[in-house]
Amino acid sequence: MSLKVTPTQLKKIFEHTHQVLRLYYNKDKWTVIYPSITQLAERFVQCYRQQPNTFHAHLHIFAKEQGYTTNLVVNQAILVTAICESLRFNKELTETLVISAIADQICTSNETNKLAAGQSLSEQAERLVINRHALAVKMLNKGNVPTGQVQRILARLEKYSTAITGVNPTPLYDNPSIIVAIAMRIAKAITPRRKIKTFSINQAIKSLYLSCYNEFAQNALSDLAQQLVNYPAGLSVSYKGEDCLVLAKQNNVNFYALLIDNQARQIIKTSQPLHGKYKTRIINDPILLYKIWFNEQLPQVEKKRENNLIQLDTISKLGNTKYPDFKQIEKALTHFEHLETALRSASKQYNRQGQKAGSIRHSLTMVGLDTAALLCQRVLLETMITNIAHPFASDIACKYSHITKVINLLISKKHAEKFEFYLCPFTAFIYFLLQQHPEKLMRFIHLEQDEFSSKPISIAQLFGLKECQNDSLESYVKSYFSESFSHKALLNTETKTKSQLSNVDKEFLAIKFLTISTLFNVHIETSWQKQITENVLHLFDWKDTTEFELALLELSPQCVIE
């Protein structure tokens, strides 16, 4: 159930942040650190989605009743959330990155406060600050926290924070870590410290943008800047000679808080052009900190969330019609006008006469009735995958493209009509992974040699996961692909052992094996899987894996991922 944000809830977020940062200093509380951070991250994301203006304003407010570290961590969490929202990441993925941002200072709250106050640290305390991320990872692992994204981000956070700028460009591959590192750099720049210059947020973003070489980081900074423009709360402006703070903007109408001695006195509604500057204010006024953001005069933020249930329902209808005709298929696609161009493009490979498709019906007739429904399912799934924002979206697209290439080449000599039969299940399973495990998907593969004695390779391993959630995967296939022989075959390679695989199942296993071995230049020395792959290659008139790999290499320049 979603949390309804109130002034009390907003205040509790700041108080709970302070409390969470104190847990490290009581060893009896170590077991509740991760659950507490998780709950706090969930609240940050829920509150931001309802009140982005509120959180943006707090990037320029130093809450005097809280210490430096609490203000710093709150700013980091807000910035991570803002970046993720601007990139359209889903709730689960965003929460994971916010957890990492909060955990940045989980072991060094006292020490960071002392440094901010200009006090010196003991040698032991200095080592603690330097090694705080390694200690945080150790604590999370001792607390039986599931090994995953949070530990990986913390383990490389300091390195990424330094390497993201510098004279020599350093290749950085982990995009979630880049997001948290950006937030950490900006938060340190805008949170006031003694004897250290405080930057405005626009200065911090501009400076970081100009000094970094990473394309993903630059795009994230640009999107963050646009998010701040969309919700410009916190901007300091002058109205009729009076000091004001922007609360919200709706179309051409701006809402200001009139400030006297850094206290909110009244709300002003005006259509004057929005011109001002960002500056940090040290505030102790509870109205400005928490209450004014819920005034009924302020506009409500419109919630826009994508719903894929209609698309999945259509996919189910396409797959559950035993004897479809073109009219039934065309009717199922009525609500998706955007598919026409995609279907025309996808049907080109079936167009042997070089005809130009004039409509969806024409595209489908060129494909043929036996393949049309699978083609429509695949194209619809591809559009859904494209619409899911993810830090490794380009990498996922490259891997999917490689699967397509492997299948195309495999059937090029024999059974070319089975392209959709083999590709559509892979498309469906990739969508499942993006929906169910977005926070776990990685750039690199996950391989454990000793697990391949009886269990086939999982498609999840191609995307950095150890395995899929078999129960959820089985339910997914049953719900939307219950009559598809090919989807069930790919499912079998995920859930069954080698002795339970049918001949068709083995064809899908071979495709997975060929994809991983050719994309990553790794070879799994498991004799039965190698034998199955050789047998499947012979079935499609290939001599052996060497011949296939050389043919694949000739199709286009190959970039092996190390």
Side-chain angles (χ1 to χ4, degrees), residues 263-532:
Q263 292 187 327
R265 296 303 185 185
Q266 72 177 84
I267 292 177
I268 299 171
K269 185 177 179 182
T270 176
S271 58
Q272 78 169 27
L274 192 61
H275 297 295
K277 63 179 181 179
Y278 288 115
K279 66 178 182 180
T280 301
R281 300 172 183 268
I282 299 176
I283 301 293
N284 202 29
D285 176 22
I287 294 177
L288 191 57
L289 285 171
Y290 312 117
K291 296 180 181 179
I292 198 169
W293 307 101
F294 301 89
N295 190 288
E296 60 184 13
Q297 297 181 56
L298 300 183
Q300 297 295 313
V301 175
E302 294 182 8
K303 298 178 183 179
K304 295 181 180 179
R305 293 286 175 257
E306 294 182 1
N307 190 340
N308 289 325
L309 292 179
I310 297 176
Q311 290 94 318
L312 287 171
D313 183 59
T314 301
I315 286 170
S316 178
K317 289 177 180 177
L318 288 168
N320 289 343
T321 305
K322 277 193 172 182
Y323 304 103
D325 58 33
F326 292 122
K327 186 176 181 180
Q328 286 177 296
I329 296 174
E330 194 175 20
K331 184 178 179 181
L333 300 174
T334 303
H335 302 292
F336 309 105
E337 295 179 0
H338 65 282
L339 279 185
E340 186 165 340
T341 303
L343 281 171
R344 284 183 185 180
S345 177
S347 62
K348 282 182 180 178
Q349 68 185 83
Y350 301 93
N351 184 3
R352 297 177 182 177
Q353 286 76 35
Q355 300 177 44
K356 183 178 180 181
S359 63
I360 290 180
R361 175 74 67 89
H362 193 192
S363 299
L364 297 178
T365 54
M366 288 192 298
V367 172
L369 190 56
D370 292 340
T371 306
L374 276 173
L375 173 67
C376 292
Q377 281 185 323
R378 192 254 296 180
V379 171
L380 192 51
L381 282 163
E382 285 177 349
T383 61
M384 293 163 66
I385 290 171
T386 302
N387 289 331
I388 296 177
H390 195 276
F392 294 130
S394 59
D395 178 68
I396 292 166
C398 287
K399 288 175 179 174
Y400 178 66
S401 176
H402 191 75
I403 293 172
T404 304
K405 190 192 299 183
V406 167
I407 293 173
N408 221 346
L409 181 62
L410 179 65
I411 64 175
S412 61
K413 297 182 178 183
K414 193 175 181 181
H415 301 303
E417 74 283 356
K418 287 191 171 184
F419 179 74
E420 302 298 341
F421 177 87
Y422 292 116
L423 181 58
C424 187
F426 281 99
T427 315
F429 280 38
I430 290 171
Y431 175 77
F432 170 83
L433 292 176
L434 278 166
Q435 283 291 95
Q436 297 292 322
H437 306 289
E439 75 284 0
K440 295 181 181 178
L441 267 63
M442 293 191 297
R443 184 185 299 272
F444 303 113
I445 60 172
H446 179 102
L447 292 179
E448 292 187 11
Q449 301 279 354
D450 57 345
E451 291 192 357
F452 297 132
S453 57
S454 63
K455 192 174 180 181
I457 300 169
S458 170
I459 188 175
Q461 292 167 305
L462 179 61
F463 297 92
L465 282 74
K466 184 176 181 180
E467 60 185 359
C468 297
Q469 286 185 352
N470 289 342
D471 292 344
S472 299
L473 185 59
E474 289 175 359
S475 176
Y476 170 70
V477 171
K478 184 177 180 181
S479 298
Y480 304 111
F481 308 97
S482 59
E483 294 183 16
S484 172
F485 186 57
S486 59
H487 287 78
K488 290 178 181 177
L490 183 55
L491 176 64
N492 289 340
T493 66
E494 298 287 334
T495 58
K496 298 184 181 299
T497 60
K498 63 179 182 180
S499 61
Q500 298 173 306
L501 300 178
S502 69
N503 289 333
V504 178
D505 300 342
K506 292 175 182 178
E507 293 170 15
F508 281 94
L509 174 61
I511 292 171
K512 290 196 287 187
F513 182 91
L514 290 169
T515 298
I516 290 178
S517 64
T518 54
L519 185 59
F520 290 93
N521 195 26
V522 296
H523 297 281
I524 304 167
E525 300 298 330
T526 308
S527 57
W528 71 271
Q529 294 200 58
K530 291 175 66 177
Q531 185 59 54
I532 285 176

Side-chain angles (χ1 to χ4, degrees), residues 50-98:
Q50 295 178 47
Q51 292 283 342
N53 281 310
T54 308
F55 276 173
H56 286 185
H58 274 281
L59 292 173
H60 320 290
I61 293 175
F62 187 97
K64 192 174 181 180
E65 61 183 13
Q66 304 292 349
Y68 168 79
T69 309
T70 300
N71 279 277
L72 174 69
V73 171
V74 166
N75 284 342
Q76 288 183 197
I78 292 172
L79 286 163
V80 168
T81 311
I83 294 171
C84 290
E85 283 294 297
S86 69
L87 295 172
R88 298 185 301 107
F89 291 171
N90 69 9
K91 176 176 175 288
E92 291 74 21
L93 181 55
T94 303
E95 287 175 1
T96 301
L97 301 194
V98 174

Side-chain angles (χ1 to χ4, degrees), residues 180-203:
V180 181
I182 287 172
M184 188 171 76
R185 289 282 297 263
I186 296 175
K188 284 185 177 179
I190 66 175
T191 308
R193 289 174 286 174
R194 188 179 178 185
K195 297 181 180 180
I196 301 291
K197 178 184 176 181
T198 302
F199 286 79
S200 64
I201 194 165
N202 54 322
Q203 291 173 331

